Amino acid sequence: MEKRERFASRLGFILISAGCAIGLGDVWRFPYITGQYGGGIFVLVYLIFIFLLGLPIITMELAVGRASQKSIATSFNVLEKKGQKWHWMGYAGVAGNYILMMFYTTIAGWMLAYFYKFMTGQFEGLDTQQIGQVFTDFIANPVEMTIWMVITTVICFGICSLGLQEGVEKVTKVMMVLLLAIIVVLAVKSMTLPNASEGLRFYLMPDVNRIKEYGIWEVVFAAMSQAFFTLSIGIGSLAIFGSYIEKERSLLGESINIAMLDTAISLIAGLIIFPACFAFNVDPGQGPGLVFVTLPNIFNSMAGGRIWGSLFFIFMTFAAYSTVIAVFENIISFGVDLWGWSRKKASIINMFLIIVLSMPCVLGFNVLSWIQPLGEGTGILDLEDFILSYNLLPLGSLVYVLFCVTRYGWGFDNYLKEVNTGEGLKMPRVLKGYLTWILPAIIIVVLIQGYINVFGK
């Protein structure tokens, strides 16, 4: 058996783990939801849930990974007691990582495509309607979308195939440092635009009227689910990095670093988007519309817009690629842990597999757009996202929590010992009641309310 690889540095571990959590949810979902649900109050509730809900589950994923020295594919097999069935979760975790990449590679490809389009000046001289048309034409073209998806998949598996330290760690460190630098430059630029102060007020000042409009419960649930989804917890995407670290540091402190970095990126993304939208009197909409239609319009109206647009989309590409590389690393480790494959072999086989599995999502926007699995206006991407975000992430998190806190699993004492091994902040034993009873209840609420939101309308 090969010796488990290790990160070269603690910084590498924190940046890669945060890179896994930092993704498009931080940039294209967080600012929109914040604006919709009352600005500053929503941000406050969201921060509370990151620490109440996200943080304990990060410690559990990392603890299971570090104690077992395996990916989610086999980590439960190592730690469960004889005759138990927790290892079934391994299959769901493996499936979750593949399903995430079945649509994420496509969207990461969009980011790279738009970086290319901005850099080569394809938006110059276009009016608002024409910019919207660029996106419509782009997703209607299966060949162009496939090319960018394949480029993304090949680049990211190529990086992973070079090894943990030489590939994943080196490249992600550079990407994350550049990402942080670019996002700060963009935020400063955005906040110095005319009328930017209105956008900042909308984003950061608590607006009680909007909470009254939606009702406190809906605001709390939106914050809870965003805190949950932004960290991609529940399918072992972070557990793998736990298996690559030594026992020098306690896991609570490391988890706080990961959560804080992820949250900082979300908050700064809002500082880019809201002032820019208010400066150009544009509604900060949600999702693809915001990133591919609203923002290109704004960059076009700016002096030097081609440069700012290129910078923004290379930042978005880094945000997406940091997640893709982290999840590919997990997928490669399945082959290594389950079948003893070499890293190169696992990379090559999975590269072809992911390209094939990503095709339904690509074609769902054009050739297969008649397939509307969750009702009118939905596509294959929505179904894949639903299976993952509304089912596998919350259920997986619930399994991690129960495995770590109940005597029917690994047990609270074993979990606490693993989390608190090493220097740094310690998880207090007094939280046992909260972790055993309240945390699972919150996850179940997220799960049920998610179904109500999808099917209850």
Side-chain angles (χ1 to χ4, degrees), residues 122-136:
Q122 291 181 31
F123 286 101
E124 291 192 347
L126 299 187
D127 62 24
T128 308
Q129 198 178 351
Q130 288 169 317
I131 286 177
Q133 197 56 44
V134 170
F135 184 61
T136 308

Side-chain angles (χ1 to χ4, degrees), residues 156 159-160 168 171-172 175 321-330:
C156 294
I159 290 165
C160 290
V168 177
V171 173
T172 306
M175 273 199 330
Y321 276 30
S322 64
T323 301
V324 173
I325 289 168
V327 177
F328 279 0
E329 177 60 33
N330 216 356

Side-chain angles (χ1 to χ4, degrees), residues 71 73 97 100 138 145 170 205 218 254 267 269-270 289 324-325 328 343 355 367-368 430 442:
S71 69
N97 281 277
L100 175 58
F138 175 59
M145 287 229 300
K170 267 188 182 167
M205 289 293 288
E218 200 169 323
E254 304 299 75
L267 293 174
V324 173
I325 289 168
F328 279 0
R343 180 178 276 273
I355 288 171
V367 181
L368 301 177
V430 72
I442 295 176

Side-chain angles (χ1 to χ4, degrees), residues 294-310:
T294 309
L295 291 173
N297 269 311
I298 289 171
F299 295 132
N300 251 14
S301 329
M302 284 178 167
R306 186 165 159 184
I307 297 165
W308 294 112
S310 302

Side-chain angles (χ1 to χ4, degrees), residues 33-88:
I33 293 183
T34 302
Q36 187 182 355
Y37 288 112
I41 289 186
F42 176 85
V43 173
L44 189 66
V45 178
Y46 168 76
L47 289 173
I48 291 167
F49 277 113
I50 282 280
F51 286 93
L52 281 183
L53 180 67
L55 197 61
I57 301 170
I58 296 177
T59 66
M60 290 168 184
E61 277 211 27
L62 293 176
V64 169
R66 188 167 77 170
S68 66
Q69 292 292 294
K70 297 284 180 200
S71 69
I72 191 170
T74 54
S75 57
F76 290 100
N77 304 51
V78 174
L79 299 177
E80 68 185 3
K81 298 175 185 81
K82 203 172 173 186
Q84 291 183 328
K85 297 284 182 272
W86 293 95
H87 60 270
W88 288 4

